[in-house]
């Protein structure tokens, strides 16, 4: 149009103009490269010094840990050389108890000392408060109790006894037992005779505390055959390794060949974060330093013990790995890491200051280039973020990106249009499908595949009667609010909305994305929909709109999932008998006065986690065998005792109905149930069926 031709176009410049900036950037790069090369030698010297220094610190750290183990070993040697220990004179031996208590006091890393003999005799002394507080709580003893003494003397023929002693070894309490403990079956006893060159056994979970740790043990060399040992809990390594810290952020930890952390300054926190069993040990990956594992594997395969690596933020670390001589076949290693910038902070700080000074000098000569580059980079950066957001399927409304450069302005318009198209596209096709198309770059095709799905149908009771005289625009507004509430809960529980059919919703789970727990998620979605529906109905009543009472049908089975229609217009949906049965179950709710009906297949999958009760046995059209129908009442963990009892009582009545038919005893039980639950729709349905059967029988007679 002529008016459009005369309209003034906004100012823009061609993209080729930005080549000037590239030229200036090349000049800048050359200058900075020269500055950088002047510091390369300093960096090399710094790394070499850091590598050598951390090796020394790691050596000292490993010596310190070894010394702790050797101190324990020395005490074990002393204990094994005592005549009462060699002769198993352990019953009522106060001098032996005093010596063991003194050894424990002088070795804070030890939790206990104990000796096991080949005839099953056993003596153990624990320092109660060196384990977690739960250990003392489990013992239920007075706070004055400092030591626990367990004596099983098979030689003396005395009954096993456990004594609790004060700090001064005064008896606080005494209890019998343990009667079922046999030291000869424990790992520390068995492995001591398999490999007497190894000081360590473990890590494993201790019998006494249920906590993981290491056992230092050695077989008795003289006298009775047996093993003397001591336990070091993993939580005792926290303080020990914390003392080995290098700089503000340095870290020392112990690990084994299974790449498990066996000692760490924050071992309790790492153990608490393990999602598996409590007796597992954290992986090295729990330190959130991915580059550390390859370094350890490289060292194990003969690589250098000192290496450098960078974390996710780009911060450089120096690491050193060292063996523990006392570990033996337990293969415990010490790793020490520290940030390079803290290692030689002053040198690195001076180097950075000089580098920044050179950078500022070069930058001061190029103000125009910096300004132009910033103007170019800003819209490009926003465009990159925009396209990344679209690829992540984050299609929230954002303003269009503008630029004085014509090509970038055009690109911003294209990205804005692309986001609008994707947003509109996602309104008609399930979002997982759209996300899959964006990530793979593939296109929609007709066809499908057979897979197991859980299918849901919903319907509003008496929708036509409630809305036939209302303003159509109001019907659309309130019904859209209703659909939004249900759809949010379905999608929040990993469901896919198939379609809206009038006032009904069809949805399914386990397609297009795999969901191994799809049936349980579908049940949770239905329960969440019930709650959301009730909250929405309260709003409807306040606004003078009739409430929408929704009924649900749920079934799990195989269906054909895919795109049906034509090449110009298609729909991602599910087809088959599974879908038909779910729809049939929804419609049956009106017969029984229920809200949620599920098939026997659903009940078989989730009956252990949800509260359900039997409703009826039906033979839908197209099905050869009867289908057991149940009512979903809620999650079992959240159900009240009264609700559970009601469902159990009804299932007993229903079992009698299914077995005896119209027997008088069954009718009595049904009447009794209705007496206690007079408004129960399922019971009323079966009672009416009984009366109908009785009338027909009477008429026939």
């Amino acid at each position: 149009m002529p008016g459009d031709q005369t309209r003034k176009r906004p100012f823009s410049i061609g993209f080729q103009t930005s080549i000037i900036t590239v030229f200036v950037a090349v000049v800048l790069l050359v200058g900075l490269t020269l500055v950088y090369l002047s510091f390369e030698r300093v960096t090399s010297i710094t790394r070499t010094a850091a590598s050598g220094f951390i090796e020394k610190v790691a050596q000292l750290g490993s010596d310190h840990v070894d010394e702790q183990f050797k101190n324990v070993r020395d005490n074990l040697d002393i204990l094994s050389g005592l005549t009462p220990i060699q002769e198993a004179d352990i019953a009522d031996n106060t001098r032996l108890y005093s010596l063991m208590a003194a050894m424990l006091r002088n070795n804070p890393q030890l939790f206990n000392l104990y000796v096991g003999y080949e005839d099953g005799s056993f003596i153990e002394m624990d320092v109660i408060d060196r384990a977690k507080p739960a250990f003392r709580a489990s013992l239920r003893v007075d706070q004055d109790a400092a030591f626990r003494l367990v004596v099983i003397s098979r030689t003396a023929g005395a009954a096993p006894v456990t004594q609790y002693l004060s700090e001064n070894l005064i008896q606080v309490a005494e209890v019998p037992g343990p009667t079922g403990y046999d030291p000869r079956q424990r790992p520390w006893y068995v492995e001591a005779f398999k490999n007497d060159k190894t000081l360590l056994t473990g890590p494993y979970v201790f019998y006494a505390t249920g906590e993981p740790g290491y056992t230092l043990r050695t077989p008795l060399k003289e006298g009775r055959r047996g093993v003397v040992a001591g336990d070091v809990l993993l939580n005792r390594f926290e303080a020990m390794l914390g003392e080995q810290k290098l700089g503000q952020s340095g870290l020392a930890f112990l690990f084994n060949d299974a790449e498990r952390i066996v000692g760490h300054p924050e071992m309790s926190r790492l153990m608490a974060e393990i999602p598996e069993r409590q007796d597992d040990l954290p992986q090295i990956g729990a330190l959130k330093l991915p580059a550390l594992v390859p370094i350890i594997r490289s060292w194990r395969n003969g690589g250098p013990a000192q290496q450098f690596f960078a974390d996710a933020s780009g911060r450089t670390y120096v690491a050193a790995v060292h063996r523990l001589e006392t570990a033996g076949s337990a293969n415990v290693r010490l790793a020490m890491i520290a940030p390079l910038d803290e290692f030689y902070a002053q040198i690195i700080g001076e180097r950075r200051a000089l580098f920044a000074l050179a950078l500022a000098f070069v930058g001061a000569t190029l103000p125009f280039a910096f300004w132009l580059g910033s103007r170019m980079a800003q819209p490009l950066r926003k465009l990159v973020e925009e396209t990344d957001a679209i690829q992540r399927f984050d299609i929230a409304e954002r303003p269009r990106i503008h630029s004085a450069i014509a090509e970038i302005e055009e690109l911003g318009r294209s990205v804005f249009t692309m986001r609008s198209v994707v947003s509109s596209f996602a309104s008609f096709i399930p979002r997982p499908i759209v996300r899959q198309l964006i990530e793979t770059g593939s296109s929609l095709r007709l066809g499908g595949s057979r897979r197991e799905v859980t299918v849901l149908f919903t319907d509003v009771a008496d929708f036509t009667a409630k809305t036939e005289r209302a303003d159509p625009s109001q019907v659309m507004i309130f019904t859209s609010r209703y659909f939004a509430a249900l759809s949010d809960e379905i999608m929040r529980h990993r469901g896919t909305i198939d379609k809206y059919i009038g006032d009904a919703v069809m949805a399914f789970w386990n397609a297009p994305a795999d969901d191994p727990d799809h049936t349980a998620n579908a049940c949770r979605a239905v329960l969440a929909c019930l709650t959301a529906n009730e909250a929405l109905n309260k709003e409807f009543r306040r606004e003078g709109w009739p409430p929408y009472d929704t009924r649900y049908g749920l079934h799990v089975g195989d269906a054909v999932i895919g795109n049906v229609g034509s090449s110009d217009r298609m729909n991602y949906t599910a087809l088959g008998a599974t879908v038909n049965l779910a729809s049939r179950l929804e419609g049956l709710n009106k017969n029984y006065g229920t809200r949620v009906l599920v098939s026997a297949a659903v009940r078989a999958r989730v009956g252990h986690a949800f509260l359900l009760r039997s409703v009826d046995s039906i033979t839908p059209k197209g099905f050869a065998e009867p289908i057991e129908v149940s009512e979903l009442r809620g999650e079992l963990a959240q159900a009240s005792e009264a609700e559970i009892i009601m469902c159990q009582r009804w299932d007993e009545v229903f079992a009698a109905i299914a077995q005896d038919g119209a027997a008088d005893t069954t009718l009595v039980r049904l009447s009794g149930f209705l007496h206690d639950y007079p408004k129960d729709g399922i019971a009323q349905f079966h009672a009416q069926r009984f009366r109908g059967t009785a009338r027909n029988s009477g008429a026939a007679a």
Side-chain angles (χ1 to χ4, degrees), residues 479-500:
T479 303
S480 295
R481 287 172 59 186
Y482 163 78
F483 280 148
L486 265 61
S487 299
D488 287 345
E489 296 300 335
I490 291 171
M491 290 187 290
R492 188 168 65 86
H493 290 84
R494 304 185 65 178
T496 298
I497 303 295
D498 183 296
K499 60 177 69 72
Y500 303 106

Side-chain angles (χ1 to χ4, degrees), residues 134-155:
F135 178 57
R136 174 179 282 277
S138 68
L139 299 179
R140 299 179 181 177
V141 294
D142 192 89
Q143 289 296 322
D144 291 338
F147 298 97
R148 185 182 76 149
L149 177 65
V150 178
V151 179
I152 304 174
S153 180
R154 310 291 187 191
T155 305

Side-chain angles (χ1 to χ4, degrees), residues 292-313:
L292 185 58
V293 174
I295 288 177
I296 291 174
R297 292 175 180 173
S298 172
W299 168 78
R300 189 181 296 122
N301 294 327
Q306 305 83 39
Q307 298 187 42
F308 295 89
F309 68 95
D311 62 7
S313 64

Side-chain angles (χ1 to χ4, degrees), residues 373-383 401:
S374 298
R375 290 293 302 270
M376 288 181 58
Q378 186 175 5
L380 286 174
R381 189 179 300 111
K382 290 182 178 179
L383 284 172
I401 298 172

Side-chain angles (χ1 to χ4, degrees), residues 85 87-91 114-124 150-161 177-186 188-189 193 207 220 224-227:
I85 292 297
E87 297 178 355
D89 183 14
I90 57 177
Y114 50 93
V115 186
Y117 297 92
E118 64 176 349
D119 66 346
S121 297
F122 179 71
I123 180 172
E124 175 182 346
V150 178
V151 179
I152 304 174
S153 180
R154 310 291 187 191
T155 305
V161 65
T179 58
Y181 181 75
D182 189 343
R184 297 166 295 184
Q185 299 176 358
R186 300 300 295 164
W188 55 270
Y189 189 94
F193 294 108
Y207 179 89
L220 291 173
R224 299 281 293 275
R225 177 179 169 87
V227 178

Side-chain angles (χ1 to χ4, degrees), residues 13-25 372-373 376 380 405 407-408:
I13 60 175
F15 186 77
Q16 290 183 348
T17 307
S18 62
I19 297 297
I20 300 173
T21 305
V22 175
F23 175 78
V24 175
L372 185 59
M376 288 181 58
L380 286 174
I405 300 175
E407 288 80 2
I408 298 179

Side-chain angles (χ1 to χ4, degrees), residues 481-533:
R481 287 172 59 186
Y482 163 78
F483 280 148
L486 265 61
S487 299
D488 287 345
E489 296 300 335
I490 291 171
M491 290 187 290
R492 188 168 65 86
H493 290 84
R494 304 185 65 178
T496 298
I497 303 295
D498 183 296
K499 60 177 69 72
Y500 303 106
I501 313 167
D503 59 313
V505 178
M506 175 183 171
F508 49 78
W509 281 256
N510 201 34
D514 292 335
D515 181 4
D517 203 22
H518 55 93
T519 306
N521 283 333
C523 292
R524 294 188 185 99
V526 169
L527 297 175
C529 285
L530 287 171
T531 302
N533 193 191

Side-chain angles (χ1 to χ4, degrees), residues 344-360:
Y344 291 97
Q346 184 176 358
I347 296 176
I348 295 175
E350 292 176 356
R351 187 187 68 177
R352 288 178 176 173
L354 188 57
F355 187 81
L357 181 62
L359 180 64

